[in-house]
Amino acid sequence: MTHHRSFERSESPRASHRLPLIAFSLASLLCAQQAFAFGFQDVADQAKSLAKQNYSQPESNLSDELAKLKYKDYAKIQFKADKSLWRDENLPFDLSFFHQGMHYDTPVTINEIDGPQADDVHEVKYSPDDFDFGDLKLDKSKLSDLGFAGFKVNYPINSATKQEVMVFLGASYFRVIGENMRYGLSGRGLAIDTALSSGEEFPRFKEFWIAKPEKGDKYLTIFALMDSPSMTGAYRFILRPGEDSVVDVKSRIFRRHEVTKLGVAPLTSMFLFGPSQPNGQLNYRPAIHDSNGLAVNSGDNDWLWRPLQNPKKLQVNSFDANSPRGFGLLQRSHDFHDYEDLHDRYDLRPSAWIQPTNDWGQGQVELVQIPTPNETNDNIVAYWRPTNLPGVDQPLNYDYRISWTLNEPKYHSPDNAWVSQTRRSQGEVLQDNLIRKSDGTTEFVLDFKGPNLKSLDGSNTPKANVSAGDNGDISRTEVQKNPATGGYRLTLNVKPKDNAKPIELRAYLTDGQGGALSETWSYMLQAANE
């Protein structure tokens, strides 16, 4: 279940999230790409044909010495910068490639689309001479029949010099960054049977086609063919790097047979500990995570915020989201002092916000949280799960935009305050001698921020609507203005009725007359024995 974090870490968008502008920008891009002989329908035809065939398990072509590499040695294999595709053509983008090694043991086919004729589509050929192997002692004569494990897209995001802004490496995983970001969470093509005892199925992109850009282009178009034992799929990714980098995704899925659980637009991240779940061991870093919460904007425009956890056992939760407006795994703090990590710079990890661009129908956003002892494993997965699917002979079409951002409030309604932080500790009472003493409760401190709260005057303090399900007793709630943020702080204390059962908490701010002022904060306080 746990996914190893094996992408390279390296340095490195803002686009409108309103649907009319999305439609306009997509139409413009599509018109620009009509000159190419190869397009989305060509990939869809291949995926449909492939789905009618029995699944063929890809075979590894790696030697033992490459397959047994540890990550430290695998990272020594670097593509030579002067060999990058389009490097010398003064184009806005160029491509470099990943060598096979470790568990990246099956090649992917990578093609360039370079014109309107059928013979303008050609495979990018692998050569060991294009790689620097560092101090590794490898016999290059035995590498000639290998292929690429994946590729990087390079673009001048922070300066005139190109840096990588998008990576496809492993199964159907990809990562993107915008200005002044570092790689953090990942996107995926599809999630199949995640968190089931039968085991998860990992689709893989087996072939890519990349349209060569023109000199003035601010975008890059990538097509991908996905395959797995249960499904095939055609994908189109239109990447537009920027302050917020944006990827518009078009997908068409074909099924060989039914699956128990389908996860659309999956995101994968890491949460080890943070103020919402303090670390149990001494550590100078107050938080280690790529994302600290799940945000959901449902079809009826309700907003929900679920702080992430590193649970003691597998935890799966679902949140209603019919025809969702959006969801994402967010890193809501980008203050260095909230992490104090000079090496990994968690303050520069982006959030990823998914916005459907066609109607997805009835479904739920599902959050999977997996126990992990350290930050080397991705233990958080979020995706949208359809309630019902048409017959297996019907293709599935899911289109959406992913925005990779450090400006999370931009993707939230300004009329609805959000939770800027969640802090959890033991509840305390102040004794007559002014010494604090534990009162046996768990205390949560929630800070709400938003333009709508700043407009309130001191005589109009918001009220708290708090619930603790069947197993929680709320012993205290208090709302007070937070002059440091311009928002309001809600403090609540809760105690379980049965220590062997969890408590499902929900809280939001109201105007005292039934009107909601904030998103809903949702948290599952695990049982004492978990």
Side-chain angles (χ1 to χ4, degrees):
M1 273 299 307
T2 306
H3 313 302
H4 188 68
R5 299 165 53 78
S6 50
F7 280 90
E8 288 187 343
R9 301 177 183 269
S10 61
E11 295 272 1
S12 172
R14 248 172 204 98
S16 171
H17 58 292
R18 294 179 176 85
L19 285 174
L21 291 184
I22 289 178
F24 175 79
S25 62
L26 283 177
S28 300
L29 294 176
L30 290 176
C31 289
Q33 291 297 337
Q34 287 176 355
F36 290 105
F38 187 93
F40 179 78
Q41 187 58 49
D42 297 288
V43 190
D45 290 343
Q46 290 194 32
K48 182 178 181 180
S49 176
L50 190 62
K52 296 177 181 179
Q53 305 169 27
N54 292 330
Y55 176 69
S56 179
Q57 180 71 34
E59 296 183 0
S60 173
N61 60 352
L62 282 188
S63 63
D64 286 345
E65 58 183 352
L66 282 172
K68 292 179 179 178
L69 286 177
K70 301 298 183 183
Y71 178 75
K72 184 177 180 179
D73 286 329
Y74 175 69
K76 296 176 182 178
I77 307 176
Q78 295 291 317
F79 191 78
K80 295 177 181 177
D82 62 352
K83 299 293 186 179
S84 296
L85 188 63
W86 313 321
R87 176 89 175 184
D88 300 324
E89 298 184 52
N90 195 28
L91 299 178
F93 298 88
D94 65 54
L95 303 179
S96 51
F97 303 92
F98 287 102
H99 202 279
Q100 290 188 83
M102 298 194 309
H103 50 276
Y104 304 121
D105 59 355
T106 53
V108 297
T109 303
I110 300 174
N111 304 284
E112 177 190 12
I113 309 171
D114 185 19
Q117 305 300 323
D119 58 1
D120 290 328
V121 180
H122 33 256
E123 182 179 351
V124 180
K125 295 296 185 180
Y126 162 86
S127 170
D129 295 333
D130 293 342
F131 289 87
D132 183 345
F133 294 90
D135 60 3
L136 298 180
K137 307 301 182 183
L138 299 174
D139 185 352
K140 286 189 179 181
S141 67
K142 297 180 180 179
L143 304 179
S144 58
D145 294 329
L146 292 179
F148 301 116
F151 67 96
K152 310 174 188 180
V153 178
N154 306 307
Y155 181 85
I157 191 73
N158 294 314
S159 66
T161 303
K162 293 188 180 77
Q163 309 100 50
E164 60 183 271
V165 294
M166 188 175 195
V167 168
F168 284 89
L169 180 64
S172 66
Y173 286 87
F174 59 93
R175 286 184 176 178
V176 179
I177 49 176
E179 291 181 13
N180 302 311
M181 300 178 193
R182 285 199 182 186
Y183 285 129
L185 77 169
S186 304
R188 278 202 273 167
L190 210 60
I192 300 175
D193 291 345
T194 305
L196 295 183
S197 59
S198 58
E200 182 169 1
E201 181 177 308
F202 289 91
R204 65 184 290 265
F205 291 133
K206 62 181 296 182
E207 188 164 5
F208 294 92
W209 296 261
I210 305 155
K212 184 177 180 179
E214 300 290 338
K215 287 188 176 182
D217 287 348
K218 301 296 185 182
Y219 63 90
L220 186 72
T221 302
I222 300 166
F223 301 101
L225 175 63
M226 188 195 74
D227 194 18
S228 80
S230 300
M231 298 185 174
T232 67
Y235 285 77
R236 184 191 66 211
F237 301 90
I238 301 178
L239 165 68
R240 284 183 289 143
E243 186 179 1
D244 283 7
S245 285
V246 173
V247 179
D248 288 304
V249 182
K250 180 178 180 62
S251 69
R252 187 171 302 162
I253 311 301
F254 301 89
R255 287 164 288 171
R256 289 188 169 99
H257 56 76
E258 293 289 5
V259 297
T260 303
K261 185 191 295 188
L262 176 64
V264 177
L267 297 170
T268 299
S269 191
M270 180 276 294
F271 181 92
L272 188 63
F273 63 82
S276 63
Q277 185 186 12
N279 189 24
Q281 299 178 351
L282 191 63
N283 197 305
Y284 75 91
R285 296 172 291 182
I288 296 178
H289 50 69
D290 286 340
S291 309
N292 69 339
L294 167 71
V296 179
N297 185 202
S298 64
D300 55 9
N301 208 28
D302 285 340
W303 288 84
L304 177 137
W305 174 250
R306 181 79 166 203
L308 299 180
Q309 298 185 60
N310 180 8
K312 293 183 179 178
K313 65 179 183 180
L314 177 67
Q315 187 172 307
V316 182
N317 300 100
S318 295
F319 309 94
D320 289 341
N322 296 330
S323 300
R325 294 177 178 226
F327 70 94
L329 290 175
L330 308 186
Q331 184 83 311
R332 273 190 172 169
S333 171
H334 299 288
D335 187 331
F336 172 78
H337 296 298
D338 287 338
Y339 307 95
E340 296 289 353
D341 194 316
L342 287 172
H343 181 263
D344 288 324
R345 296 303 301 270
Y346 292 104
D347 56 306
L348 301 180
R349 306 300 174 95
S351 298
W353 182 250
I354 306 286
Q355 182 186 356
T357 52
N358 63 342
D359 187 358
W360 289 5
Q362 293 187 327
Q364 312 84 39
V365 171
E366 192 161 278
L367 174 65
V368 178
Q369 300 178 103
I370 308 165
T372 183
N374 55 59
E375 67 266 41
T376 63
N377 296 308
D378 280 334
N379 64 319
I380 305 295
V381 187
Y383 46 79
W384 184 82
R385 179 182 180 182
T387 301
N388 298 298
L389 292 174
V392 72
D393 59 331
Q394 297 297 310
L396 308 173
N397 297 281
Y398 297 108
D399 303 336
Y400 51 97
R401 165 171 287 184
I402 312 179
S403 300
W404 308 76
T405 185
L406 299 178
N407 184 13
E408 291 75 22
K410 180 179 179 180
Y411 299 93
H412 199 283
S413 169
D415 300 324
N416 204 354
W418 57 88
V419 180
S420 63
Q421 71 166 339
T422 298
R423 291 187 174 270
R424 171 181 159 187
S425 67
Q426 65 175 6
E428 297 175 328
V429 294
L430 190 64
Q431 302 177 98
D432 292 341
N433 61 2
L434 302 184
I435 297 175
R436 296 178 182 271
K437 178 183 178 182
S438 173
D439 63 3
T441 68
T442 298
E443 183 170 285
F444 289 91
V445 178
L446 316 178
D447 277 322
F448 290 86
K449 291 173 62 177
N452 63 328
L453 297 184
K454 286 188 175 182
S455 64
L456 299 177
D457 58 40
S459 62
N460 188 18
T461 301
K463 307 297 187 293
N465 186 312
V466 180
S467 63
D470 297 331
N471 193 44
D473 276 331
I474 302 294
S475 61
R476 169 180 174 253
T477 61
E478 179 185 20
V479 179
Q480 55 186 320
K481 189 170 181 61
N482 185 338
T485 65
Y488 284 82
R489 173 168 287 187
L490 166 61
T491 304
L492 65 91
N493 292 70
V494 63
K495 190 173 184 178
K497 298 175 182 178
D498 184 344
N499 284 323
K501 296 180 180 179
I503 303 173
E504 187 68 48
L505 291 159
R506 294 173 75 88
Y508 61 94
L509 299 182
T510 76
D511 60 9
Q513 300 176 353
L517 295 174
S518 75
E519 66 185 8
T520 298
W521 171 85
S522 172
Y523 192 96
M524 192 175 84
L525 183 60
Q526 298 176 65
N529 61 346
E530 294 183 353

